[in-house]
Amino acid sequence: MKIGLALGGGGARGLAHIGVIKVLEEEGIKIDYIAGTSMGAIIGAMYAQNPNAEGVIKRLKLFLQSTDYDALGVKYFFPKREKTLSFIQFLYKGLRERFSIELSPRRKGLIKRERLDYALSFLIDEGDIENTIIPFAAVSTDLSRGKTVAFRKGDIRKAVRISASIPGIIPPELESGMALVDGGVTEPVPVYAVKEMGADFVIAVDVSVTQLDNFVNPSIIDIIARTETVRGIYLSGELVKHADFVFHPDLKDAHWSEFLRYEEFIQEGIDEGKGKVNELKKQLRKYRSFWRRLWRNRC
């Protein structure tokens, strides 16, 4: 029986993935396949290349404490609620000051993809997906056809960058008639993708928002943001119904850009993992018993 791990998207909330993985590793639960969407693809690729949770955590912390992280500019997207500035005013002011961009209809993204490429060169080793220690797939969405595209061959950094290209923030990758963006558009938790790899038992890690604040006197941008959040929660919930076991760290309404809360998010993943790992072991024993009986009957 092969175990697959489906790591969902969620920006900074996805740092909880490595906390869950750390618990699985400590409990001796071997992962045979990994599929990741967006931040799940970043964590998944790091672990698939070097299956050592502590090593991945150390590498993440080094990056988030470095000037390379500051240069990425993600922190300027956090919606600070200043009394004198609305969110859209703050966002526009921050972007103008930090990126000196021209907000025109012809622009395809707010951050150049080279910034994300540079960050991934810090986190992920150079190489091809098919050469990872644990078989890995990076999930993206083709806006041209409205379909999910899972990368299982080729440059791993490029595949992960495409999987993490948030629409409107990072420009889409245009190739072979496709317009490829963040996999969260169609498969925020890549349950189907890891099943297609050959997984018999799927463990999903859903890091979607677990708490919504009161929706009082919203602005246009608030309505758009809340709509996208609710869509993501609903779609993730439907996808994980097709997994065999689900971890869902309680990250409340943490914003996708709050990477500097990494200690808290990783610990939340550890807590979720420890709280449910015994239940997971029971499910695995049942499935293994079923597969043994099936194999004996075939023989």
Side-chain angles (χ1 to χ4, degrees):
M1 186 184 73
K2 301 294 184 180
I3 299 175
L5 187 62
L7 303 178
R13 296 193 304 272
L15 294 170
H17 287 315
I18 193 58
V20 173
I21 291 171
K22 184 175 188 292
V23 174
L24 296 179
E25 186 181 281
E26 290 172 349
E27 295 292 332
I29 297 173
K30 179 179 176 291
I31 302 301
D32 299 290
Y33 302 104
I34 300 174
T37 291
S38 198
M39 191 63 195
I42 295 175
I43 301 297
M46 293 177 72
Y47 191 74
Q49 286 184 328
N50 301 289
N52 181 286
E54 281 295 343
V56 172
I57 291 171
K58 182 178 179 180
R59 195 166 182 175
L60 282 167
K61 288 182 177 180
L62 284 173
F63 173 69
L64 293 170
Q65 294 167 358
S66 71
T67 55
D68 294 314
Y69 168 72
D70 289 334
L72 187 58
V74 172
K75 62 183 179 181
Y76 300 112
F77 288 90
F78 178 62
K80 296 179 181 179
R81 299 294 182 178
E82 298 182 9
K83 293 181 179 180
T84 57
L85 290 177
S86 69
F87 168 56
I88 193 64
Q89 289 171 328
F90 173 79
L91 177 62
Y92 183 79
K93 177 175 179 290
L95 291 172
R96 291 285 295 181
E97 290 178 354
R98 301 294 174 175
F99 301 115
S100 299
I101 65 171
E102 177 187 358
L103 296 177
S104 71
R106 292 176 296 176
R107 194 172 184 87
K108 297 179 175 64
L110 299 177
I111 299 178
K112 292 181 179 180
R113 65 169 60 99
E114 288 78 13
R115 290 178 182 267
L116 184 52
D117 280 330
Y118 188 74
L120 293 177
S121 69
F122 191 110
L123 297 170
I124 298 171
D125 296 335
E126 188 176 7
D128 292 328
I129 292 181
E130 56 266 39
N131 295 328
T132 55
I133 294 173
I134 300 174
F136 169 71
V139 176
S140 65
T141 299
D142 176 15
L143 295 181
S144 295
R145 298 176 299 164
K147 293 184 178 181
T148 299
V149 177
F151 291 97
R152 294 175 60 184
K153 292 183 179 181
D155 188 321
I156 191 169
R157 288 176 177 170
K158 179 181 178 181
V160 171
R161 187 249 295 156
I162 292 172
S163 178
S165 292
I166 303 172
I169 306 297
I170 306 293
E173 184 77 20
L174 305 175
E175 62 176 46
S176 303
M178 296 185 291
L180 298 165
V181 296
D182 195 303
V185 175
T186 52
E187 201 167 338
V189 186
V191 174
Y192 295 142
V194 80
K195 283 187 175 184
E196 289 173 1
M197 295 176 75
D200 304 304
F201 187 100
V202 176
I203 301 171
V205 186
D206 179 7
V207 292
S208 59
V209 170
T210 53
Q211 174 183 300
L212 294 171
D213 57 9
N214 293 329
F215 206 47
V216 180
N217 193 28
S219 65
I220 292 174
I221 200 71
D222 291 331
I223 294 169
I224 294 171
R226 175 58 65 90
T227 300
E228 176 62 18
T229 298
V230 171
R231 183 203 64 81
I233 293 171
Y234 177 80
L235 183 53
S236 295
E238 290 300 303
L239 286 166
V240 300
K241 289 178 182 178
H242 300 278
D244 298 290
F245 195 87
V246 182
F247 290 103
H248 196 170
D250 187 13
L251 302 170
K252 298 182 172 55
D253 62 346
H255 193 263
W256 67 265
S257 67
E258 295 184 89
F259 284 92
L260 296 184
R261 293 174 64 184
Y262 58 87
E263 295 274 9
E264 176 187 345
F265 295 161
I266 292 171
Q267 186 59 50
E268 202 63 57
I270 292 172
D271 293 344
E272 174 73 358
K274 288 182 176 179
K276 290 184 177 178
V277 72
N278 288 333
E279 182 184 349
L280 171 60
K281 285 181 175 181
K282 290 179 183 178
Q283 291 294 327
L284 286 171
R285 282 195 293 269
K286 288 180 181 178
Y287 268 75
R288 285 181 175 130
S289 177
F290 167 78
W291 279 101
R292 281 195 294 268
R293 290 196 303 271
L294 181 63
W295 179 254
R296 282 197 294 267
N297 290 337
R298 285 181 175 177
C299 292

